[in-house]
Amino acid sequence: MTGSAPLAYITGASSGIGQALALRYYQAGWSLALVARRTQAIAQWAEQMQLDAARYAIYEADVARIDSACAAARACLERQGLPDLVIANAGISWGVDTSQREDLDAMRQVLDTNVMGMAASFQAFIAPMAARGSGRLVGIASVAGIRGLPGHAAYCASKAAAIAYCESLRGELRDSGVQVITLLPGYVDTPLTRQNPYSMPFLLSPEQFADKAWKAMEKNKRYAIIPWQMAIVGRVMNILPSHIWDWLLVGRGRKPRHRNTSGA
């Protein structure tokens, strides 16, 4: 598959944020490399949206498995070439109670997906992008990575690690011409958030988030919290003393435990 259109490689493209970002870039004239476990869901969506088959390819991967994520990236390099943009979006959000032994397995799966999956999604592209002297690596983190939340130990820890990983990678690639961008969504209406038993201020649709994220990425922002209202909240969260943060969490519902740890 060849062409002059720039190429965006997007993980977690079968639903939610990933799917909305794919459509936003497609509408802007980009070609797509779409990655997910549920490839049939991508194929059905692409057909429904009447995407030009010459402008996208689908790759199956479970990013929680490093070899699977790396294999999808290599397949993209062989089939479509080196992307101009890689968006590591695939992620899961499971509630855990780490006083329970079985929840440690759930926590490991969240960390494997949200942290190692991001690194594995970038791995095959880092050196060739640096050799070319251009490219963008975008990690989708979360405002939840700024402070811990009840029941969210796995998710908050994974997103804090993702933020730190992207920052480290940005420093490593500083003089290479490769941009590393960290995006922190607030609340977005996706299957990951619909089971939350608490209010979600400034909730965005996936399409609204994708449009705002597009603007941030096109401006090559190194770090952006979306939407702007949540960016203010994020700054406050960063500076609040721990005793005040703990007080604010009093009475907040915790994310329910994820009881099925058979897979992501």
Side-chain angles (χ1 to χ4, degrees):
M1 185 179 298
T2 60
S4 58
L7 176 63
Y9 181 96
I10 303 172
T11 69
S14 59
S15 64
I17 287 174
Q19 195 174 86
L21 286 169
L23 184 60
R24 183 65 182 83
Y25 273 91
Y26 181 86
Q27 291 172 336
W30 288 56
S31 294
L32 304 173
L34 303 174
V35 185
R37 289 180 299 115
R38 297 182 299 119
T39 55
Q40 187 58 37
I42 300 179
Q44 291 173 350
W45 170 78
E47 182 178 355
Q48 178 184 0
M49 301 304 296
Q50 298 183 325
L51 303 190
D52 181 353
R55 287 179 53 197
Y56 72 91
I58 300 172
Y59 304 93
E60 182 177 359
D62 177 355
V63 301
R65 296 168 49 228
I66 291 175
D67 288 342
S68 178
C70 292
R74 290 194 301 270
C76 173
L77 289 170
E78 293 173 3
R79 181 176 178 182
Q80 294 175 281
L82 180 59
D84 301 274
L85 171 71
V86 176
I87 303 177
N89 163 74
I92 56 176
S93 176
W94 291 350
V96 297
D97 177 354
T98 53
S99 72
Q100 305 297 315
R101 167 61 185 87
E102 60 268 26
D103 284 24
L104 297 181
D105 296 319
M107 185 169 186
R108 180 174 60 187
Q109 286 185 272
V110 173
L111 291 167
D112 283 348
T113 302
N114 296 358
V115 185
M116 296 309 302
M118 180 179 291
S121 297
F122 287 161
Q123 183 274 325
F125 304 119
I126 294 173
M129 279 187 170
R132 184 179 62 189
S134 68
R136 282 178 287 171
L137 300 170
V138 180
I140 303 296
S142 171
V143 173
I146 298 175
R147 301 294 291 255
L149 297 166
H152 263 297
Y155 187 69
C156 290
S158 73
K159 293 304 184 178
I163 292 167
Y165 166 66
C166 288
E167 188 169 47
S168 299
L169 186 61
R170 186 166 66 247
E172 294 166 13
L173 296 174
R174 180 181 54 196
D175 299 322
S176 69
V178 179
Q179 303 292 319
V180 179
I181 299 170
T182 313
L183 297 183
L184 284 69
Y187 292 112
V188 182
D189 183 18
T190 71
L192 294 184
T193 61
R194 287 172 193 153
Q195 303 305 313
N196 289 343
Y198 42 77
S199 64
M200 295 182 285
F202 316 121
L203 181 70
L204 298 176
S205 69
E207 293 75 21
Q208 288 172 319
F209 172 80
D211 188 60
K212 296 177 186 300
W214 157 271
K215 293 173 183 175
M217 287 186 279
E218 290 307 296
K219 292 178 181 177
N220 286 326
K221 288 190 175 182
R222 293 177 175 86
Y223 177 101
I225 300 175
I226 299 170
W228 67 265
Q229 296 95 330
M230 192 58 76
I232 295 173
V233 173
R235 294 188 191 101
V236 173
M237 290 167 65
N238 249 328
I239 63 174
L240 280 179
S242 294
H243 70 279
I244 295 179
W245 180 250
D246 292 347
W247 176 78
L248 289 172
L249 296 181
V250 172
R252 178 186 173 91
R254 64 178 292 153
K255 189 174 182 70
R257 292 173 62 205
H258 178 82
R259 298 180 184 277
N260 176 10
T261 61
S262 61

